[in-house]
């Protein structure tokens, strides 16, 4: 899990490349160095093998690492596309609201499908767990995404992603 988290933090390199290609940003050595140093830092952490792992611990798989890398690329692509296509007067509240409504309408269908095909068993959370999930959604996801998207529009996708990683 930790390796996948570190690999997904490597989105700054993808952001740098997508910014050059999609937004036609000029090549800057300082931006290139920041992206490469961020990637090197993520690689150093990801390469460290955990010590004294119990037999029942979940191990990394190459497929999981590949999915984390593809996720980092998609995250970088969405960041660059948002920056390129967002109007100057984008109302962040409306944008976050529409994104939330899309997630709210898609989640039940995805959960039902995963449960119906026995990919993942769905069990309704207890009220205490539901309260914790709600607090995490509000503060850990919504607020963080709001600040990230605001920084993305005020700065550049590369700066926002390097600061994020």
């Amino acid at each position: 899990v930790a390796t996948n988290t570190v690999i997904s933090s490597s989105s700054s390199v993808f952001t740098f490349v997508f910014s050059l290609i999609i937004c036609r940003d000029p090549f800057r050595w300082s931006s290139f160095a920041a992206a490469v140093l961020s990637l090197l830092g993520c690689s150093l952490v990801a390469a460290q093998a955990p010590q004294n792992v119990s037999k029942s611990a979940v191990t990394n798989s190459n497929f999981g690492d590949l999915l984390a890398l593809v996720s980092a690329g998609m995250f970088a692509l969405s960041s660059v596309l948002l920056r390129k296509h967002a109007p100057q007067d984008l109302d962040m509240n409306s944008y976050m609201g529409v994104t939330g409504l899309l997630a709210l309408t898609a989640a039940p269908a995805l959960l039902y499908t995963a449960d119906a095909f026995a990919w993942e068993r769905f069990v309704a959370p207890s009220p205490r767990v539901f309260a914790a999930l709600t607090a995490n959604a509000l503060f850990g996801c919504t607020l963080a995404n709001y600040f990230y998207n605001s920084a993305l529009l005020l700065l550049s996708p590369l700066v926002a992603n390097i600061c994020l990683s």
Side-chain angles (χ1 to χ4, degrees):
V1 174
T3 304
N4 288 347
T5 302
V6 172
I7 290 172
S8 65
S9 295
S10 67
S11 64
S12 57
V13 173
F14 294 110
T15 305
F16 177 74
V17 172
F18 290 145
S19 293
L20 291 175
I21 295 170
I22 295 171
C23 295
R24 307 264 191 252
D25 286 351
F27 181 89
R28 292 188 182 99
W29 283 105
S30 59
S31 298
F32 175 74
V36 168
L37 287 173
S38 176
L39 177 66
L40 286 175
C42 291
S43 299
L44 285 174
V45 174
Q48 297 300 314
Q51 302 296 324
N52 300 326
V53 177
S54 72
K55 301 286 184 203
S56 63
V58 176
T59 58
N60 291 339
S61 69
N62 290 335
F63 182 66
D65 290 345
L66 175 69
L67 287 176
L69 200 58
V70 169
S71 174
M74 293 294 110
F75 180 75
L77 181 63
S78 68
S79 298
V80 171
L81 289 175
L82 177 62
R83 175 72 171 156
K84 180 173 174 67
H85 296 296
Q88 293 294 328
D89 59 343
L90 177 68
D91 180 21
M92 192 55 64
N93 294 328
S94 296
Y95 174 75
M96 293 294 293
V98 169
T99 304
L101 284 175
L102 287 172
L104 192 61
T105 55
L110 290 172
L111 286 173
Y112 176 77
T113 303
D115 189 55
F117 286 105
W119 295 331
E120 190 73 33
R121 186 167 172 256
F122 176 74
V123 177
S126 67
R128 184 176 177 182
V129 170
F130 185 77
L133 289 172
T134 302
N136 180 50
L138 290 174
F139 298 110
C141 298
T142 305
L143 195 60
N145 285 339
Y146 181 84
F147 288 146
Y148 172 76
N149 287 325
S150 296
L152 181 72
L153 295 177
L154 292 173
L155 303 169
S156 73
L158 182 62
V159 172
N161 279 318
I162 287 177
C163 291
L164 188 64
S165 66

